[in-house]
């Protein structure tokens, strides 16, 4: 899993990104950094799954954006994994 | 509804008086099921077991509220009014003592919803960046594999 860990570290090097999280379809945490941690895995995966049921097109994966005054959290599913990125507004 | 159900769990002296059946259960009345008829046909020399069974039977018969009772005793007007008043006062007392449960407030994301809603939209470049991150992460995860260092099944050398 070295490749994944390395990639998560590289992602965090971006100054506006303060958190990143990868989960599988059941909410099991595959890797996280920064402001996003284990307990967010379940919520993130469920949000992405519910958003995906909004569209009938199975290839169209929606990006869920949670906007707040302390940054945005963008959640996207790709294949079997869901990735959430907590990014500060620049 | 809620009030009626809660009275079942706490049987106080007051509540027992309320739950006293309107019809005297010891009266001879046509039973809707064959239970009571069976108790009459038991032999006069009862064993302990039969006595226990009878007790259980009586308790059940007392607790059952029979809505299809054939000969329901009619009540006079003043008695009806009295009872209604009695029940309403008891309800008032109960409703005063019942505690009000405050609903747990939901966690809120921000204290200034207007500001957040009026702010600029999430830039599309960010969305693209995130989908790129997701794609890379997916390919990185697919590289996770089991590295077989040694045999899983070994033969024991039995001398």
């Amino acid at each position: 899993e070295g490749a994944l860990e390395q990639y998560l570290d590289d992602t965090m090097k971006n100054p506006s990104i303060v958190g990143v999280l990868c989960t599988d379809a059941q909410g099991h945490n595959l890797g996280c950094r920064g402001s996003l941690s284990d307990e967010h895995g379940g919520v993130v995966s469920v949000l992405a799954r519910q958003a995906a049921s909004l569209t009938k097109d199975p290839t169209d994966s929606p990006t869920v954006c949670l906007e707040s005054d302390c940054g945005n959290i963008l959640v996207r599913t790709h294949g079997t994994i869901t990735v959430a990125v907590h990014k500060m507004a620049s | 509804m809620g009030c009626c159900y809660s009275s079942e769990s706490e049987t106080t002296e007051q509540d027992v008086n309320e739950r006293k059946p309107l019809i005297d259960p010891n009266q001879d009345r046509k039973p809707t099921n064959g239970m009571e008829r069976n108790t009459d046909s038991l032999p006069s020399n009862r064993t302990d077991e039969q006595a226990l069974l009878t007790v259980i039977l009586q308790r059940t018969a007392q607790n059952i509220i029979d809505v299809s009772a054939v000969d329901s005793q009619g009540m006079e007007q003043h008695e009806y009014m009295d009872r209604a008043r009695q029940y309403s006062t008891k309800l008032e007392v109960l409703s005063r003592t019942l505690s009000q449960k405050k609903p747990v407030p939901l966690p809120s994301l921000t204290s200034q919803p207007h500001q957040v809603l009026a702010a600029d939209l999430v830039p599309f470049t960010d969305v693209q960046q995130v989908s790129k991150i997701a794609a890379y992460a997916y390919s990185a995860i697919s590289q996770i594999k089991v590295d077989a260092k040694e045999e899983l099944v070994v033969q024991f050398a039995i001398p």
Side-chain angles (χ1 to χ4, degrees), chain A residues 1 3-4 7 11 14 17 22 30 63 65 67-69 72 74 76 78 80-81 83 85 87, chain B residues 109-112 116 120 122 126-127 129-138 140-141 143-144:
Chain A
E1 63 269 15
L4 174 66
Y7 185 66
T11 314
N14 187 325
I17 293 183
C22 295
L30 299 167
T63 309
C65 305
E67 298 178 33
S68 79
D69 42 7
N72 302 331
L74 295 107
R76 191 176 167 99
H78 195 281
T80 54
I81 67 152
V83 174
V85 176
K87 195 171 158 101
Chain B
L109 195 59
T110 171
S111 54
Q112 296 168 323
V116 173
D120 292 338
V122 177
D126 281 359
V127 177
Q129 187 185 18
V130 170
S131 25
K132 197 163 53 80
I133 293 173
Y136 275 128
Y138 180 67
I141 282 170
Q143 289 173 20
I144 296 177

Side-chain angles (χ1 to χ4, degrees), chain B residues 9-24:
Chain B
S9 52
E10 30 181 70
T11 9
T12 60
E13 272 305 310
Q14 247 184 347
D15 293 340
V16 168
N17 192 29
E18 280 181 12
R19 292 176 64 220
K20 203 171 59 180
L22 294 176
I23 306 167
D24 193 356

Side-chain angles (χ1 to χ4, degrees), chain B residues 22 72-85:
Chain B
L22 294 176
S72 58
Q73 227 177 22
M75 281 207 303
E76 292 166 36
Q77 180 70 9
H78 69 271
E79 235 189 85
Y80 168 76
M81 297 295 284
D82 277 343
R83 270 186 202 255
R85 214 175 306 126

